[in-house]
Amino acid sequence: MCPRFRQTSDILRLMSRKEDIRNIGIIAHIDHGKTTMTDSLLAEAGLLSPKIAGEARALDYLEEEQKRGITIKTANISLLHEIENKPYLVNMIDTPGHVDFTGKVTRALRAIDGVIVVIDAVEEVMVQTETVTRQALTERVRPVLFINKVDRLIKELKLSPEEAQNKLLRIIRDFNNLIELYGEKELKDKWKVDPIQGTVAFGSALHKWGFTLEIAQKKGTKFGDVAEAYKKGREQELQKTIPLHNAMLDMVVKHLPNPIEAQKYRVLKIWKGEIESEIGKAMMNCEDDGPTVMCLTSAQLDPHAGLIATGRIFSGTVQEGDQIFLVGTKKDYRVQQVSMYMGAFREIVDKIAAGNIAALLGLDLARAGETLVDIAHKDVMVPFERIKYVSEPVITVALEPKHPKDLPKLIDVMHRLAVEDPNLAATINKDTGEYLLSGM
Ligand code: GDP
């Protein structure tokens, strides 16, 4: 039996238990280890075979792509984590790119309720740590902290346990200063991270180990033991005694909110409609049988499937055949297909309910940032707040194909770029006949 199908039904069951769902992302300064950590989580807790991590993953994707004739892009990875035999579903939304020139991180944040902020233990808090943390706080997305590359403190910097501890404490303090600076008054004290509370983990994404203080206590592991393991060249063992995915997912499940909790304060921030209205109440309570309301966070043009619109369902249930309305474009559509991302693959499903992430086909003018509502509520729906970007388009380039016969291809590509990046504009200068692309 193909494990994927078995697991899809598992996921669908989990998706109906909202208390057990976490929608999260990983954000970091460039090179601090976001990709390494994502790959490791996917390999160890992802709902596809462990083979797909690293190199093998790329191959699997290509094979699968050929088999199915669709282009596969990772928009969302679903991870499974058990605490005391109880399964939790962790949906990890891809937050691509560190320098957020295209605004992709900002858009992805709209779909999630919590983030793991990765900080390199050697480099400490950097400019983009500040930018992405600020963006998360602006969207009322709660952070937990992972201090990565602790192996380098031991192997390269050769710090004593005391020196290492001081450095780690400084990182935590600096990170909390960011929360103090950019967090909202009512939330920031609660959201500051603290190793004793379990909202900070330490480890090495490269060597796949990590711990929170709770885990370290339970396992009887001390910092000295980790240093000792490196000295003896036995760091491989740490992967087994204190596996990274366990620390990360424990922290996520225990300290980041489920969609029901999160929507109660996030909706107030990202939607300015009447909270006491039918739609307002349904979103605040993350109701499956309320009006369908979705905030689209990504639009991708697939050569076979057409436009794939992905977003977070804040209320109601989306089903194939539903008549929906896009508030920004003012167009109604029939949903042609509902799917969810599992690993990097899109799985077609019957329906997806509030608090989850869904990918929809058939909405050709849908763009990231759009508000989707069921047709019955089209006249009363107030759109979501505009997603705030850190920068505005600043450059314009004129493009021309090397060979004039390739002009249609150029136009096609420019169109696709503009669909996927709402901050990009493709225009034609009628006077000069130039093809212009403006963006960040
Ligand atoms: P990203 O830019 O945040 O996605 O960072 P990457 O995951 O691509 O990592 C950047 C570099 O740091 C790569 O060369 C990784 O192998 C390395 N790296 C990531 N995690 C660790 C770690 O825990 N320890 C060490 N020593 N290197 C790491």
Side-chain angles (χ1 to χ4, degrees), residues 29 32 118-127 129 147-148 153 157 159 163-164 166-174:
H29 183 85
H32 281 200
V118 179
I119 300 183
D120 180 329
V122 177
E123 291 200 341
E124 307 192 8
V125 170
M126 297 286 279
V127 190
T129 316
I147 305 186
N148 189 30
L153 300 186
L157 305 191
L159 300 186
E163 287 168 328
N166 287 340
K167 195 162 164 53
L168 298 173
L169 287 174
R170 183 168 62 233
I171 294 171
I172 296 167
R173 195 193 57 216
D174 289 350

Side-chain angles (χ1 to χ4, degrees), residues 28-37 98 148-152 156 203-207:
H29 183 85
I30 189 159
D31 279 345
H32 281 200
K34 187 173 86 99
T35 314
T36 311
M37 167 125 106
H98 308 267
N148 189 30
K149 306 198 189 182
V150 171
D151 57 292
R152 293 183 60 198
E156 286 171 40
S204 165
L206 188 64
H207 300 141

Side-chain angles (χ1 to χ4, degrees), residues 386-424:
R386 266 194 73 228
I387 295 175
K388 292 187 184 67
Y389 297 104
V390 275
S391 28
E392 299 269 318
V394 283
I395 57 156
T396 297
V397 287
L399 301 172
E400 64 176 316
K402 199 164 175 184
H403 305 291
K405 69 170 173 28
D406 289 332
L407 190 61
K409 280 189 200 154
L410 177 74
I411 294 175
D412 191 45
V413 167
M414 284 171 66
H415 171 64
R416 183 179 315 169
L417 288 173
V419 166
E420 296 183 357
D421 178 356
N423 295 323
L424 209 57

